[in-house]
Amino acid sequence: MSAFQAIILGLVQGLTEFLPISSSAHLTLIPWALHWPEPGLLFDTVLHVGTLAAIVAYFWHEILRILGAWFGSLRTRRIDNPDARIAWLLILGTIPAVLAGLVLEDLVEQVLGTPAIVAAILILTGVVLFVSDRLGRKDRSLEQLKAGDAIVIGVAQACAILPGLSRSGATMAGGLVRGLTRQDAARFSFLLALPITFGAAAQQIYKAAKVGLSSAEWLPMVLGALVALIAGYLAIRLLLGYVRSHSLRPFAIYCWVVGIAGLVLAWVR
């Protein structure tokens, strides 16, 4: 993969990881449509490290506060702090995705990773966004979130193991269905990405370190990750500002257009 291709895919990853339009779909469809080499799981993982860094950079004050409250709850064996509650709810919401990854990851990648299926699932992402945005009450704050809500959102994140189903879109939809405001649904979605992305990235990078990669192989990955970090940070700011007063329906329409275009291209080829 060339440095130019890595930069473009890093830009795509940074934007589509946080905008609810599926990074996995774009990282599958764009190289396929342009006849570029497949990025591969390791490259995809390194790009996720870039977007992980973007979350940390944007939310670092909140992350430190939540971690401090969580350690405090372990020490006192009490959950009487709103930040401690959020920490435990994030842990609870991560469990379904961990279980889904352990059981289904290889099978899903082998069976559902074709461009046509990814495009079809991207259309499903649009449906999920449209319906949840229309039906959600959007009158609850993050501080009102309960264990049952976290499990529902966690199951939504686990469903995003399907390539083409946006992780941020699915978790935001889960939050909206449970009555969260759009902004708090997005905040919880971004924070929920931290544990699962960190774990997956650490596992893949450990495997790569054992095998060993040349500097020529690492350079495009580092470039892509840096671009993903910058683009991801900007995408977080954009989305949190946008959802204060706008619906998710434009993202749903975008998913439908790109998904249909992918299906047409697959049929033509």
Side-chain angles (χ1 to χ4, degrees):
M1 176 175 296
S2 70
F4 173 76
Q5 292 169 343
I7 290 171
I8 295 300
L9 293 179
L11 178 63
V12 169
Q13 166 66 20
L15 294 175
T16 59
E17 176 66 17
F18 300 116
L19 302 181
I21 53 177
S22 182
S23 61
S24 63
H26 286 76
L27 290 179
T28 297
L29 296 175
I30 289 176
W32 168 71
L34 298 177
H35 299 286
W36 290 357
E38 290 188 16
L41 182 58
L42 178 59
F43 183 80
D44 181 62
T45 301
V46 173
L47 292 187
H48 277 80
V49 172
T51 49
L52 178 69
I55 301 173
V56 173
Y58 192 90
F59 289 103
W60 71 276
H61 281 295
E62 192 168 348
I63 292 168
L64 289 178
R65 194 176 68 241
I66 289 172
L67 283 175
W70 181 68
F71 282 116
S73 72
L74 292 177
R75 188 170 56 253
T76 63
R77 298 183 181 181
R78 296 174 60 188
I79 308 176
D80 52 5
N81 181 302
D83 289 322
R85 285 186 65 254
I86 291 174
W88 284 107
L89 291 175
L90 289 170
I91 293 171
L92 186 61
T94 300
I95 293 172
V98 172
L99 296 177
L102 291 174
V103 176
L104 299 173
E105 184 175 18
D106 292 338
L107 176 64
V108 167
E109 187 176 346
Q110 292 170 9
V111 176
L112 301 178
T114 65
I117 294 179
V118 169
I121 297 176
L122 184 59
I123 295 173
L124 175 62
T125 292
V127 174
V128 169
L129 290 173
F130 187 89
V131 172
S132 63
D133 190 78
R134 188 175 183 85
L135 298 182
R137 298 194 315 272
K138 299 180 274 295
D139 59 0
R140 297 176 66 199
S141 68
L142 195 55
E143 289 69 27
Q144 295 173 298
L145 204 67
K146 297 181 180 179
D149 304 318
I151 291 173
V152 169
I153 298 171
V155 170
Q157 177 169 254
C159 291
I161 194 172
L162 298 173
L165 183 60
S166 168
R167 192 211 63 83
S168 62
T171 50
M172 287 178 65
L176 291 172
V177 167
R178 302 303 292 179
L180 286 179
T181 65
R182 293 189 187 100
Q183 191 170 21
D184 279 345
R187 280 178 60 211
F188 193 76
S189 170
F190 295 151
L191 293 172
L192 191 61
L194 282 167
I196 196 71
T197 305
F198 178 82
Q203 179 188 32
Q204 292 302 323
I205 291 173
Y206 173 73
K207 289 179 181 179
K210 287 176 65 176
V211 174
L213 292 175
S214 67
S215 59
E217 292 173 298
W218 274 112
L219 178 60
M221 294 186 188
V222 172
L223 284 173
L226 287 174
V227 173
L229 190 164
I230 297 168
Y233 185 91
L234 295 175
I236 292 172
R237 289 194 62 176
L238 171 66
L239 186 64
L240 287 177
Y242 174 85
V243 296
R244 286 193 183 100
S245 55
H246 298 84
S247 79
L248 299 179
R249 294 173 198 172
F251 297 111
I253 295 169
Y254 173 88
C255 290
W256 293 336
V257 170
V258 174
I260 291 171
L263 288 177
V264 170
L265 183 58
W267 179 75
V268 169
R269 287 187 177 179

